[in-house]
Amino acid sequence: MSSDSITGVTSLPDDFDGLVRLFPLPGMVLFPHAMQPLHVFEPRYVDMLQEALSTDHLITMATLTNQQGNVAIDEATKQKLPLNMLPPISPTVCVGKIISHAELEGDRHNILIVGIRRATIRHELETGRSFRTARVDLIDDFYLPAGTQKRADLKKRLLEAFGKIIPVSEGSQKSLHDLMAGQMGVGPITDIIAYTLPFDPNEKIKLLAMSDVDERAEALIRLIQKGGLDLQSVSVEEGDVDLAESSRSRKDFPPPFSVN
């Protein structure tokens, strides 16, 4: 999908009131402008997906902060848990929009989500739904006016730092050249790179929470230059992202329902 196509779907509905559906996952941090494929199969998330598809197409991705909380639990038990007993999630989240949906056999669904806006959870709500919901405050990108003249250099330094660590290939070098010469700004480039690279989720959440675009880009450059990244499974090719459950062994399929 081209950057123009992404821009065309990254606006929120005019009547957006801050009420969001939450999809918590361990270790996954979505960023605006990034695309994430997901395989939806648990009944409560199928409920969430059906509601989203029939209304605003929005699903907000949240990050579980306690990996131990991702344990098997039946649906009836989960729906009886009070809010204070649900697995903790990071208050910084990303509102996403469904841009592709394919229904499979057995009430399973493949979807593609593009990140739209960063946000902070104000509080979760008791709605009686099978899935979690919350009221959020949007985090607006902030561009310091005094930094306008230096932003082109910041974009160049960020892409050069990224170019030094990705596998060298004709395709990757062309992509970097196109980004350098193109009109995509520092904000979207920072978010896409932050999403792509395998940083610790806590580091990604810190970047997601930053509203100052220049500060976010500088922080990302420092993280890249820090080194220590395992890039064996990372590709800069568009769409090369595993489905949410692809890391599971086939013998564990279908996976147990989780408490998230």
Side-chain angles (χ1 to χ4, degrees):
M1 179 177 290
S2 69
S3 59
D4 289 341
S5 299
I6 294 176
T7 301
V9 299
T10 53
S11 58
L12 288 169
D14 292 337
D15 60 352
F16 179 75
D17 61 0
L19 180 63
V20 300
R21 309 168 190 90
L22 295 175
F23 195 161
L25 285 176
M28 207 285 286
V29 183
L30 182 65
F31 282 80
H33 311 285
M35 291 185 289
Q36 173 69 47
L38 296 167
H39 182 64
V40 181
F41 57 92
E42 295 191 36
R44 62 182 175 275
Y45 295 128
V46 172
D47 290 346
M48 178 181 66
L49 174 62
Q50 291 174 342
E51 181 179 288
L53 289 173
S54 66
T55 55
D56 54 18
H57 284 66
L58 299 180
I59 290 178
T60 294
M61 304 306 300
T63 308
L64 287 166
T65 56
N66 178 11
Q67 300 283 339
Q68 300 302 316
N70 195 32
V71 297
I73 188 171
D74 64 81
E75 283 292 296
T77 300
K78 187 271 170 186
Q79 293 186 40
K80 293 178 182 178
L81 288 176
L83 288 178
N84 62 0
M85 291 186 64
L86 291 173
I89 57 178
S90 167
T92 305
V93 295
C94 183
V95 181
K97 178 176 282 189
I98 302 166
I99 58 174
S100 177
H101 167 241
E103 185 171 358
L104 310 175
E105 293 183 0
D107 207 12
R108 293 170 178 268
H109 306 259
N110 284 341
I111 63 175
L112 184 64
I113 287 183
V114 60
I116 296 179
R117 296 287 297 276
R118 42 187 28 93
T120 302
I121 293 177
R122 189 187 306 172
H123 55 260
E124 288 198 50
L125 305 172
E126 292 277 11
T127 63
R129 291 182 174 93
S130 58
F131 49 88
R132 297 167 71 168
T133 61
R135 184 77 62 183
V136 301
D137 295 316
L138 298 176
I139 301 175
D140 293 323
D141 277 355
F142 172 71
Y143 289 85
L144 189 68
T148 303
Q149 298 301 319
K150 299 179 180 179
R151 203 154 288 129
D153 178 65
L154 180 57
K155 174 181 174 180
K156 179 180 178 182
R157 290 193 293 115
L158 174 57
L159 290 174
E160 286 178 346
F162 183 52
K164 289 179 181 178
I165 65 169
I166 63 173
V168 177
S169 70
E170 182 177 346
S172 64
Q173 294 306 310
K174 182 181 185 303
S175 295
L176 282 173
H177 179 271
D178 291 345
L179 281 174
M180 193 79 75
Q183 297 300 310
M184 184 178 288
V186 173
I189 291 174
T190 300
D191 284 341
I192 292 171
I193 293 176
Y195 166 80
T196 301
L197 292 178
F199 298 119
D200 181 275
N202 291 327
E203 297 291 352
K204 291 195 175 193
I205 289 170
K206 290 177 184 177
L207 291 171
L208 185 62
M210 291 182 179
S211 60
D212 187 318
V213 174
D214 296 341
E215 179 185 356
R216 188 193 312 154
E218 293 284 6
L220 179 56
I221 291 172
R222 290 192 296 271
L223 275 177
I224 293 173
Q225 294 176 339
K226 184 178 179 181
L229 292 174
D230 179 9
L231 300 179
Q232 293 301 313
S233 61
V234 175
S235 170
V236 295
E237 297 298 324
E238 180 181 359
D240 188 18
V241 183
D242 291 337
L243 295 181
E245 66 178 18
S246 63
S247 61
R248 300 180 186 269
S249 168
R250 283 293 179 185
K251 65 183 179 182
D252 294 328
F253 187 86
F257 291 150
S258 58
V259 73
N260 60 301

